[in-house]
Amino acid sequence: MDIAGGRRSLWWLLGTWGLTRLVLLLFVFKVFVFPGPDVTSDVSVIYQGWFEVLRTGTFPLDDVTWQYPPAAALAILSPALLFFLDYANAFFVLAFLADLAVLALLLHAGLRPGRSLRGAWMWVAGVPLLGPTVYARYDVMVTAVAVAALLAGARRPRLMGALVGLGAMVKVWPVLLLVGALKRRAWAAAGVTALALAALFAAVMPGAFAFLTFQRDRGTEIESLGALVFHVARHFGWSGEVLLNYGSVEFLGPYVSLVSTAALALTGLAFGWLLLWRLMAGRFVTHTLADAAFVAVLMFTTTSRVISPQYMVWLVGLAAVCLCYRAGPMRLPAGLVLAASFVTVLEFPVYFAHVVAGDTLGVTLLFVRNGLLVIATVVAARALWRSTVSAAAALPLPTQVARSKEASLPS
């Protein structure tokens, strides 16, 4: 009965994945039109423009929208592998395959003894909640690398480190996966991989690190937590404006730099909390590595000057890894991330015009989405602290108690 039920559950999962992904493909291939602005234009215009520059052997030195580490070039150039398709369609197919790779990794992890398929279900449900944006950005590819790194975990620390180094050189944030890593081999492998890739790109392609200046000069993007200050201030006579700046829609005007600085300060506080947690934590179990990575990325996403919709893909992927562990404490934060994903697709692209206008609907959606992220961050951080630092975490596990009792019995 259990085996039959498990098989039915697996077929339901696979069927749901297939149906939802078919719908996403129909949207990005424009068989159906998704409400709001065209999310695929970033691929057909921006990514393809970068592709034409990168294939000449240089980075887009004069394009301030290029704000990524040098290995991001691999993602932008990857559609050339499917030479029989045009650029945009090839990119969508590769994004779909990255989605499939994440599902395969989560299934492999979830079907092991003592694990759960909740993680795979999290991924199956979370991605379509974000709409076709997932297949129109390369973040799903980076998330696949991050999920593989976390699942390699303690059993293969060198592999984890190499994947983290690769991911960090594609989009920086995967370096946060090392927050809960105990083995030096993981850190060393990540450093060696990142340095090797950096040296390689610096040697063969001019402008490998121009992105650092472009990132430094960014302002406050209108979907971020700090942007809520200006969404409200606009209704009380604030004289700033909303413009396309550095590749995203940002607030420009009085006090914007102050709020951007405050966001950086919050990120600094988040880093300080993570450092304190690492110094205080005394109990690391199998799921701690994933839990710590999820909390770290939640903190840095929520406090960032920019919260683009595709950032939610990272959180869905990391939450899915956490849910693969039956004993993990991240169920509630994962549920909050799912809810935030649904609100995200409403604020972009469905009602993005209202967000730009800053009217009641747009501001309400942002308050709800960002509020959910803040609550998820606080709840997840508290759960991580309680499971690793608090007095309760010092108590022996039930399995350890059982083993000690068995050892005390006469043979």
Side-chain angles (χ1 to χ4, degrees), residues 7-227:
R7 287 178 177 173
R8 283 196 299 270
S9 176
L10 182 60
W11 282 114
W12 271 107
L13 188 151
L14 294 174
T16 304
W17 182 87
L19 179 61
T20 55
R21 274 40 176 195
L22 174 61
V23 173
L24 289 181
L25 287 173
L26 290 175
F27 279 126
V28 293
F29 285 129
K30 298 185 179 176
V31 177
F32 301 139
V33 177
F34 201 78
D38 181 11
V39 300
T40 66
S41 61
D42 275 26
V43 177
S44 57
V45 177
I46 298 175
Y47 285 10
Q48 189 163 359
W50 291 340
F51 173 82
E52 298 300 335
V53 175
L54 289 167
R55 68 191 302 190
T56 67
T58 184
F59 285 91
L61 299 176
D62 299 321
D63 187 349
V64 296
T65 63
W66 176 261
Q67 300 168 7
Y68 310 105
L74 300 176
I76 302 303
L77 291 169
S78 62
L81 297 171
L82 304 181
F83 56 88
F84 48 89
L85 296 174
D86 64 39
Y87 183 88
N89 289 339
F91 186 92
F92 301 145
V93 170
L94 290 174
F96 166 80
L97 292 176
D99 178 3
L100 177 59
V102 174
L103 177 67
L105 289 166
L106 293 170
L107 283 176
H108 178 72
L111 290 172
R112 293 173 59 190
R115 300 291 180 86
S116 171
L117 287 177
R118 285 194 300 264
W121 274 111
M122 174 79 187
W123 183 253
V124 168
V127 168
L129 285 179
L130 292 167
T133 303
V134 176
Y135 284 1
R137 305 291 187 271
Y138 79 85
D139 295 79
V140 66
M141 303 175 185
V142 186
T143 301
V145 175
V147 168
L150 277 182
L151 291 176
R155 299 180 67 186
R156 305 182 68 182
R158 287 194 181 92
L159 175 59
M160 175 192 173
L163 290 170
V164 167
L166 171 62
M169 291 305 293
V170 176
K171 206 161 186 180
V172 179
W173 68 266
V175 73
L176 296 172
L177 305 186
L178 292 172
V179 166
L182 292 176
K183 297 184 179 179
R184 295 179 181 178
R185 285 172 289 175
W187 288 81
V192 168
T193 302
L195 287 174
L197 286 172
L200 175 64
F201 279 103
V204 302
M205 295 180 70
F209 295 97
F211 78 97
L212 293 172
T213 300
F214 300 154
Q215 277 285 1
R216 181 194 64 198
D217 295 336
R218 293 193 73 161
T220 297
E221 190 254 350
I222 65 168
E223 297 166 275
S224 65
L225 184 63

Side-chain angles (χ1 to χ4, degrees), residues 293-303 315 318 333 337 373 376-377 380:
F294 180 48
V295 170
V297 176
L298 257 175
M299 285 184 166
F300 281 83
T301 300
T302 304
T303 61
L315 299 176
L318 298 184
V337 165
L373 288 180
T377 302

